[in-house]
Amino acid sequence: MKEKILMIGLGAMGSVLARLLLEQGKHVTVWNRSEAKAGKLVEAGATFTADIHRAVADSDIILICLLDYPATEQVLTGVSLEGKTVVQLSTGTPQDARSMAASFTERGAAYLDGAILATPSQMGAAETPIFLSGSSAAWKHAEPALRILGGGLKYMGEAPGAASAWDLAALSSMFGMMIGFLNGAGIMESEGMSVADLGQMVRDISPVLGQMIKDTGDDIQEQRYAEPQSSIDICAGTFELMVRLSAENKIDGGFAGFAQQMFRKAQGAGFGQERISALMKTLR
Ligand SMILES: NC(=O)c1ccc[n+]([C@@H]2O[C@H](COP(=O)([O-])OP(=O)(O)OC[C@H]3O[C@@H](n4cnc5c(N)ncnc54)[C@H](OP(=O)(O)O)[C@@H]3O)[C@@H](O)[C@H]2O)c1
């Protein structure tokens, strides 16, 4: 008999996930707080079940893509999860994942926590990354359906918090760079130059930037701080200049000031002649 999949949550992401499953001929039931969002998916072959108890009872694999974990708790309060494979694809913290894993496992579910590292229009491609961790039985059961949603699946083992830790660490790296770029965009604008050209240049040198990040990661892991090629004192000078430039060009100095403080703190702790990896010692 055909496996039954329930998609809970039909926002920007959940509706795309449901559609991808339907396109691959899966038996899909959908549930959403606002019923209207189910209309087009029903036209495409999904079943809408307004009663969440019945929707879960009639399904084998429960995929969740709601705003967050509290919304998930709310929607599934009092719903029997006995014998179900539950995959949480909403974004949360590792602690959110651990708490939900404990509570849903106690309620009889096999629980897998997931993190989607892509936008709705990027879903369903061979390389689309989705991190997963938690019950290996749930992983084995849900993997074929999940592979339709993104070919770049990465199962990170039984610890339920692993997927969201990786997700938030990767998002931190991405948005940290994006905020630095926006500060750079302010510099370009204030000098009457093209922000688009800066974007192009950053893309062109991104393999070099990526290598610098990787080398710093290796240094932190190995606790290698001495013999810098570019010392904290030298790097700190960049932000002294940037704070001055912000004042001179009358642009927002928040980013430059934040970074200046980080470097000054490390210098104050005596790490001025160490590698940039030594900033981690003050962060810890
Ligand atoms: N969009 C992305 O690019 C992206 C990428 C990666 C991960 N994600 C994650 O995917 C999840 C969903 O994102 P989205 O972009 O689909 O968000 P969205 O378009 O804002 O949809 C939110 C969904 O949550 C439901 N919801 C919110 N509060 C609720 C509550 N108290 N009770 C019941 N349902 C509730 C909404 O129901 P209604 O329709 O009734 O309002 C809707 O189905 C988030 O955790 C997000 O971080 C999104």
Side-chain angles (χ1 to χ4, degrees):
M1 209 175 59
K2 220 167 163 183
E3 194 152 55
K4 294 174 178 172
I5 302 173
L6 170 63
M7 184 73 234
I8 298 180
L10 302 176
M13 183 59 86
S15 55
V16 168
L17 303 184
R19 185 166 294 278
L20 286 167
L21 293 168
L22 286 168
E23 283 169 3
Q24 292 306 311
K26 294 290 177 191
H27 183 300
V28 181
T29 300
V30 293
W31 182 94
N32 196 57
R33 179 179 59 179
S34 327
E35 207 172 317
K37 286 187 187 164
K40 285 198 175 128
L41 290 162
V42 170
E43 278 169 28
T47 304
F48 175 74
T49 305
D51 178 353
I52 187 70
H53 295 269
R54 228 188 73 216
V56 172
D58 286 351
S59 306
D60 308 301
I61 297 176
I62 321 295
L63 303 181
I64 303 164
C65 193
L66 292 167
L67 179 65
D68 54 18
Y69 286 60
T72 306
E73 299 275 7
Q74 236 177 339
V75 168
L76 290 175
T77 298
V79 175
S80 170
L81 301 176
E82 191 63 47
K84 304 298 175 188
T85 289
V86 177
V87 186
Q88 169 64 294
L89 294 168
S90 320
T91 306
T93 67
Q95 186 53 43
D96 286 335
R98 282 189 286 272
S99 302
M100 191 153 280
S103 119
F104 283 13
T105 304
E106 202 175 298
R107 288 161 67 180
Y111 179 82
L112 191 62
D113 199 82
I116 297 171
L117 281 89
T119 58
S121 66
Q122 294 170 322
M123 298 310 296
E127 67 282 1
T128 306
I130 307 178
F131 295 162
L132 298 137
S133 61
S135 155
S136 57
W139 161 242
K140 279 195 197 94
H141 188 194
E143 185 189 350
L146 292 169
R147 206 158 280 290
I148 294 170
L149 310 182
L153 298 182
K154 198 165 161 53
Y155 175 63
M156 294 162 159
E158 295 268 348
S164 65
W166 264 91
D167 182 37
L168 291 177
L171 287 171
S172 172
S173 306
M174 183 192 82
F175 283 120
M177 180 148 192
M178 190 61 84
I179 291 165
F181 172 73
L182 291 171
N183 184 66
I187 296 173
M188 295 299 275
E189 275 186 357
S190 69
E191 290 289 327
M193 293 189 290
S194 161
V195 175
D197 286 352
L198 178 66
Q200 176 69 44
M201 189 273 269
V202 173
R203 195 193 74 166
D204 292 348
I205 65 168
S206 62
V208 177
L209 299 180
Q211 187 61 45
M212 286 164 77
I213 298 283
K214 192 208 173 303
D215 291 345
T216 301
D218 291 347
D219 284 351
I220 292 170
Q221 193 68 42
E222 303 296 325
Q223 303 197 40
R224 239 184 340 250
Y225 307 118
E227 296 165 22
Q229 292 198 51
S230 177
S231 68
I232 282 184
D233 281 341
I234 290 294
C235 297
T238 306
F239 291 98
E240 299 299 331
L241 291 177
M242 219 179 279
V243 165
R244 185 155 62 80
L245 176 149
S246 303
E248 288 167 354
N249 286 17
K250 298 186 175 44
I251 59 174
D252 189 290
F255 170 78
F258 165 75
Q260 182 190 47
Q261 288 313 314
M262 269 185 83
F263 278 98
R264 281 188 176 175
K265 197 170 166 193
Q267 287 174 306
F271 305 143
Q273 281 305 305
E274 298 194 0
R275 298 183 189 200
I276 201 157
S277 53
L279 285 180
M280 202 63 203
K281 292 194 277 185
T282 51
L283 280 176
R284 283 192 198 110

